[in-house]
Amino acid sequence: MDHDKAHVLAAGAPLWEAGGDPPLPGHLQVEVTSACNLRCTMCLVRYRPPVNKLAGAMRPELFRRLVDELPLRQLTLQGLGEPLLSPYLPEMIDIAVARGVRVGFNSNATLLNRRRAGDLVASGLSWLHVSVDGATPAVYEGIREGARFDTVIGNLAGLVEAKREASSATPWIRVVFVAMRDNVAELPALTRLLAGIGVNELRVQNLSHDFADTDPAGAYQEIRQFTAEQALWDDGGAFAEAAGQAKELDIKLRLPSKAGNGGGNCTWPWDAAYVTSAGLVQPCCMVMGDDRVALGDLKRESFADIWHGEAYREFRRRLDSADPPDVCRGCALYRHTF
């Protein structure tokens, strides 16, 4: 997603001021399942009751409806759950690829065995992001509760090998590292490990939200407290060391911006949308929790009616002002620290 894309008319006036709505989005992020097999420390899934993988899966009928209704160029098939748990994921990839849509997703890779890796390479998947938040079993498994470090690294290497065997440039393999106080010191070692495997890119990102818009004693209390304790504003030199390693070893590295660079200019509600497995439409993928903000329900309305509806218009108006919605104020993407 290009978060720097302008959302104004050629004359410079925001679309809502000009009296019009943006066209239907070409990029959609779809939560193909809300079920997950891990209980990661920084994820909302850990602080909610477990979800059955069949009950939590988006139904193919809803997915086809979205693909039919929107002029899609890109589809991201992920949300709070683990996409490989969805029994419908291969079908969804096939539908998107057949229509010329770029498609990919993020996985914890615990279920990415060699057979699945080969199938994904053959499917035409454009990218696959794998979450790895440590360079040693102790740190990684302390964050990704339920996962085995050696299994995930082995599965990642198997994916690289599956691409080589197929002489395929896709999927582009990016490892995502969520930087926190507990793991940032391992970043240089992880950079060396991934370069040795043959991963294309390492992306380092900060925690996505501070949850300051939620009740301190309410349902988000635990994840709000965790974020306050683990949010990283001083990397202790690990970022610079990793950058040096990446340059030497020829692996692409993306580091987050530092705090204090301002905020605003988020384009999500103008050129993309996030849809939960239950069919709720949210303004972006950073919200986490459909009770915090939902702009429409696909069980009751079409996507176009929601996109052009008053709730979306008001959200865009607020986001484009000096008084953004509360849910945006604590967002790392909005604050340019993601």
Side-chain angles (χ1 to χ4, degrees), residues 1-46:
M1 183 62 191
D2 182 0
H3 296 291
D4 297 322
K5 196 184 299 177
H7 57 260
V8 296
L9 295 175
L15 287 164
W16 64 268
E17 286 186 353
D21 293 315
L24 290 173
H27 176 216
L28 197 65
Q29 182 160 338
V30 174
E31 183 184 54
V32 295
T33 181
S34 55
C36 192
N37 58 337
L38 302 184
R39 309 291 286 179
C40 303
T41 57
M42 68 297 213
C43 182
L44 186 63
V45 169
R46 181 185 183 90

Side-chain angles (χ1 to χ4, degrees), residues 276-289:
T276 72
S277 58
L280 294 177
V281 179
Q282 296 185 283
C284 74
C285 69
M286 304 289 282
V287 171
M288 283 200 289

Side-chain angles (χ1 to χ4, degrees), residues 46-289:
R46 181 185 183 90
Y47 309 99
R48 295 288 184 269
V51 177
N52 177 276
K53 71 175 185 178
L54 290 178
M58 175 179 280
R59 304 295 299 178
E61 306 84 63
L62 176 56
F63 180 79
R64 286 181 178 275
R65 180 179 143 198
L66 286 166
V67 173
D68 287 343
E69 189 173 352
L70 300 179
L72 294 174
R73 300 181 300 277
Q74 181 168 311
L75 258 173
T76 303
L77 302 179
Q78 71 193 53
L80 287 176
E82 165 53 44
L84 291 177
L85 282 175
S86 171
Y88 311 117
L89 180 65
E91 177 183 351
M92 292 172 171
I93 294 172
D94 288 346
I95 291 169
V97 170
R99 299 183 184 220
V101 179
R102 293 186 68 251
V103 60
F105 61 91
N106 191 98
S107 173
N108 60 41
T110 56
L111 305 174
L112 187 62
N113 58 35
R114 192 61 176 75
R115 177 187 59 78
R116 270 188 161 155
D119 289 346
L120 288 173
V121 171
S123 73
L125 195 74
S126 294
W127 75 89
L128 180 57
H129 300 169
V130 175
S131 296
V132 183
D133 306 298
T136 60
V139 170
Y140 170 83
E141 292 168 13
I143 294 169
R144 299 269 166 185
E145 186 178 312
R148 293 292 301 273
F149 179 76
D150 291 344
T151 298
V152 168
I153 296 302
N155 289 347
L156 183 58
L159 176 63
V160 172
E161 183 59 28
K163 280 182 61 177
R164 287 178 180 153
E165 287 185 359
S167 299
S168 177
T170 57
W172 176 266
I173 303 172
R174 171 194 282 172
V175 163
V176 178
F177 177 93
V178 179
M180 297 173 283
R181 295 185 186 277
D182 282 349
N183 69 347
V184 68
E186 299 219 329
L187 183 57
L190 181 64
T191 305
R192 294 191 296 272
L193 174 63
L194 298 178
I197 292 173
V199 168
N200 299 119
E201 180 182 358
L202 170 59
R203 177 190 175 111
V204 182
Q205 64 187 48
N206 283 316
L207 292 169
S208 61
H209 211 286
D210 66 11
F211 296 92
D213 60 298
T214 65
D215 181 355
Y220 291 83
Q221 177 184 6
E222 291 176 294
I223 195 169
R224 176 173 172 158
Q225 181 178 344
F226 174 86
T227 302
E229 294 171 353
Q230 288 291 325
L232 189 69
W233 306 120
D234 179 6
D235 61 85
F239 286 0
E241 186 179 348
Q245 293 280 352
K247 185 176 181 180
E248 178 183 342
L249 299 170
D250 194 28
I251 179 173
K252 186 174 181 181
L253 173 68
R254 183 270 188 193
L255 294 169
S257 299
K258 292 186 177 181
N261 289 346
N265 299 320
C266 175
T267 70
W268 258 93
W270 282 264
D271 52 24
Y274 178 85
V275 180
T276 72
S277 58
L280 294 177
V281 179
Q282 296 185 283
C284 74
C285 69
M286 304 289 282
V287 171
M288 283 200 289

